[in-house]
Amino acid sequence: MQRNELCWCGSGKKYKKCHMAFDEKIAMHADAGEIVPPHKIIKTPKQIEGIRKSARLNTAVLDHVTAHIHAGMSTEEIDQLVYNFTVEHGGIPAPLHYQGFPKSVCTSLNNEVCHGIPDENIILIDGDIINVDVSTIVDGYFSDASRMFQIGEVSERAARLVRVTQECVELGLAQAKPWNHLGDIADAINTHAQENGYSVVIDIGGHGIGLEFHETPFVSYVTPKGSEMLLVPGMTFTIEPMINEGGPDFYVDEDNGWTVYTEDDGLSAQIEYMVLITEDGAEVLTK
Ligand code: MF3
Ligand code: CO
């Protein structure tokens, strides 16, 4: 791109007054052998505006679930809460029909790691822990976040797993800033999980998001400090580690092709924030 051309970022400014120095800095990191983000995943101000609007509805859907989840309800009822609220507010649930997924939300209970399918026969009972993973499309922009819920009185064993998972995500978030690397987030999460005797799921991770549901990069939570993609302002991705009380291994339900369970039947928890890398840190778009 020439110095006097309009910048690729859509700001309307000349390249030399906008992202030229930024591109030169990224090129230096690339020359040093680092993985650097392609322009297409660096969101323009207009795209960020659209993504923020989608993320606001996503958070509202999660708040709606938070207000209504209770012992005795089925996960199918959670699906109905999510579908109805999303559609009434002008959104589309992103999971619905995504690669054949049959429902509007993922509901993953106890030993389920992720991608649990809502079902009228799965009834929440006292002592359950459940992840509700909500993803929303508004005007073509995607957002994604998940929360853990503790149904009634849960065991200290389950409560501790949820607490540590929350701490892991916050520690990861603290590393989400420009010129850090995805591995810095991963290392903060993995270290805290291991210090607490837990393990982080290896082959399932987070992802870039915004213009599509799943964009590059794949976000691992087990990679070393300083490794993986360089973080720069305008990137949008998820921080969503799956933390197991036992080993990291899992298997996928053979009948439905989706639900992921812990291999050793131990409990698993997951919390997901969607973030935007800003000039001086990260903005949580939805959580
Ligand atoms: N929110 C999940 C994720 O983080 C969605 C999985 S795809 C689905 O990627 F079809 F299961 F919803
Ligand atoms: Co996600």
Side-chain angles (χ1 to χ4, degrees):
M1 157 150 266
Q2 298 295 316
R3 303 170 52 80
N4 288 319
E5 281 180 77
L6 291 182
C7 189
W8 53 263
C9 81
S11 64
K13 290 188 227 164
K14 284 186 178 171
Y15 183 48
K16 66 182 177 192
K17 295 260 169 159
C18 194
H19 274 89
M20 193 169 90
F22 173 87
D23 280 347
E24 285 167 0
K25 190 167 173 183
I26 290 181
M28 279 171 55
H29 284 267
D31 288 345
E34 294 177 33
I35 303 166
V36 300
H39 282 169
K40 68 170 195 290
I41 66 164
I42 301 172
K43 273 64 180 185
T44 67
K46 182 169 169 279
Q47 289 167 343
I48 291 169
E49 209 179 294
I51 293 167
R52 272 208 189 95
K53 189 172 163 200
S54 174
R56 273 199 295 275
L57 178 54
N58 199 72
T59 299
V61 176
L62 278 163
D63 289 343
H64 185 60
V65 171
T66 303
H68 292 95
I69 197 166
H70 62 267
M73 88 192 293
S74 69
T75 54
E76 171 69 25
E77 288 173 71
I78 299 174
D79 189 70
Q80 285 162 9
L81 286 174
V82 169
Y83 179 84
N84 291 333
F85 190 94
T86 304
V87 171
E88 279 161 19
H89 290 82
I92 301 167
L96 191 58
H97 309 315
Y98 175 78
Q99 294 185 357
F101 192 80
K103 297 286 176 174
S104 296
V105 61
C106 297
T107 50
S108 307
L109 205 60
N110 300 325
N111 65 327
E112 295 173 356
V113 174
C114 62
H115 302 167
I117 302 177
D119 190 311
E120 62 186 359
N121 296 312
I122 302 177
I123 310 293
L124 301 183
I125 60 170
D126 215 60
D128 279 340
I129 58 169
I130 183 171
N131 171 274
V132 178
D133 191 340
V134 173
S135 317
T136 304
I137 313 171
V138 175
D139 302 334
Y141 293 106
F142 289 79
S143 54
D144 189 5
S146 78
R147 296 181 189 169
M148 287 301 296
F149 297 98
Q150 305 180 41
I151 307 302
E153 281 288 304
V154 313
S155 64
E156 172 50 25
R157 174 187 150 207
R160 189 174 83 91
L161 177 66
V162 173
R163 191 164 66 237
V164 171
T165 301
Q166 177 72 58
E167 290 164 1
C168 282
V169 174
E170 287 293 332
L171 289 166
L173 176 64
Q175 296 300 319
K177 50 188 172 198
W179 318 109
N180 259 14
H181 295 78
L182 284 174
D184 300 316
I185 298 173
D187 182 69
I189 289 169
N190 199 17
T191 300
H192 190 63
Q194 286 183 354
E195 279 172 2
N196 281 280
Y198 298 146
S199 58
V200 178
V201 171
I202 297 167
D203 292 318
I204 316 174
H207 49 97
I209 178 169
L211 311 185
E212 292 169 55
F213 196 172
H214 296 104
E215 301 175 354
T216 191
F218 171 75
V219 183
S220 165
Y221 305 107
V222 295
T223 48
K225 219 182 236 179
S227 72
E228 301 300 320
M229 193 177 279
L230 180 72
L231 302 178
V232 305
M235 286 171 71
T236 46
F237 60 90
T238 65
I239 302 177
E240 53 172 322
M242 283 145 260
I243 311 290
N244 293 352
E245 62 172 352
D249 294 344
F250 60 82
Y251 66 94
V252 180
D253 190 300
E254 278 179 19
D255 296 324
N256 70 30
W258 280 102
T259 311
V260 179
Y261 305 90
T262 55
E263 183 73 45
D264 59 13
D265 220 30
L267 295 173
S268 185
Q270 179 182 27
I271 290 171
E272 173 175 21
Y273 291 4
M274 174 180 167
V275 301
L276 164 70
I277 299 297
T278 60
E279 292 302 324
D280 53 6
E283 174 184 333
V284 178
L285 295 170
T286 174
K287 70 174 183 181

